[in-house]
Amino acid sequence: GAVVSQHPSRVICKSGTSVKIECRSLDFQATTMFWYRQFPKQSLMLMATSNEGSKATYEQGVEKDKFLINHASLTLSTLTVTSAHPEDSSFYICSAGRPYEQYFGPGTRLTVT
Amino acid sequence: QQQVKQSPQSLIVQKGGISIINCAYENTAFDYFPWYQQFPGKGPALLIAIRPDVSEKKEGRFTISFNKSAKQFSLHIMDSQPGDSATYFCAASIGTGRRALTFGSGTRLQVQP
């Protein structure tokens, strides 16, 4: 299967600071990547669709000014959580798709203190 | 509105037994149905996927059964092993793996030795 990486795997930051999470497709090109959020013992919720070379598409209820997404190349998408607050603490997971499969990164655990 | 309903929420199976997880969908436009396995603190891993033009797909111990008329699909894990203990998510999307996925609520499987 294809490989999607995320960095960092775990980050702790103070309230009010910004955090950047990188998502890379290591062995295939992805014009579209997805960002999901997962709370403990819950399912994955789609936050936004990241499109290479254009603006991201955000799901209803997701603040685009808080969760900045940049899809700089065919293998890299970044999610920046701006002015993070404790309620932003969660598990953030990205994914990238090929024609018949979609692969997920290992996730980033964000803790805002 | 939950578009993919998954059951049961949790499942306990004896080693060597068959684990069965069911999903039902509402949107008839869905045409890609993957199953993911997730261990604690990890990203979801693609197990097996099916498209609606076939009624069954088998890969090793994992089988998807698909009933288009009933809008239901299920995952069967044969000869369940303790290492299969994880959370399983069904999902669906319109189009290919390059589209955003709608996830079921997840099933926590415990295989007892």
Side-chain angles (χ1 to χ4, degrees), chain A residues 3-58:
Chain A
V3 180
V4 177
S5 70
Q6 275 184 249
H7 178 80
S9 59
R10 187 181 297 267
V11 58
I12 301 173
C13 70
K14 292 188 175 181
S15 185
T17 61
S18 296
V19 173
K20 179 184 284 189
I21 303 170
E22 292 186 349
C23 175
R24 294 180 185 274
S25 55
L26 297 185
D27 50 3
F28 66 102
Q29 294 183 332
T31 55
T32 304
M33 293 183 174
F34 305 96
W35 288 95
Y36 295 82
R37 183 173 181 176
Q38 186 177 34
F39 290 105
K41 299 184 180 180
Q42 292 189 22
S43 189
L44 287 81
M45 296 292 292
L46 178 68
M47 297 176 64
T49 300
S50 172
N51 303 298
E52 189 269 336
S54 64
K55 291 183 178 180
T57 304
Y58 292 83

Side-chain angles (χ1 to χ4, degrees), chain A residues 32 34 36 38 41-44 46 49 91 93 97-107 109, chain B residues 32 36 38 41-46 49 51 89 96-106 108:
Chain A
T32 304
F34 305 96
Y36 295 82
Q38 186 177 34
K41 299 184 180 180
Q42 292 189 22
S43 189
L44 287 81
L46 178 68
T49 300
F91 193 50
I93 314 173
R98 298 197 307 190
Y100 299 104
E101 307 96 20
Q102 189 169 128
Y103 296 94
F104 284 78
R109 173 75 59 193
Chain B
Y32 173 67
Y36 288 87
Q38 186 179 32
K42 306 295 183 182
L46 178 64
R51 297 181 68 86
F89 292 97
T96 69
R98 291 187 174 138
R99 297 294 189 93
L101 294 166
T102 298
F103 280 87
S105 55
R108 181 168 293 188

Side-chain angles (χ1 to χ4, degrees), chain B residues 11-31:
Chain B
L11 180 62
I12 299 175
V13 173
Q14 296 297 315
K15 178 182 176 181
I18 303 174
S19 302
I20 302 174
I21 305 171
N22 301 299
C23 284
Y25 62 97
E26 299 169 6
N27 189 343
T28 55
F30 285 145
D31 60 359

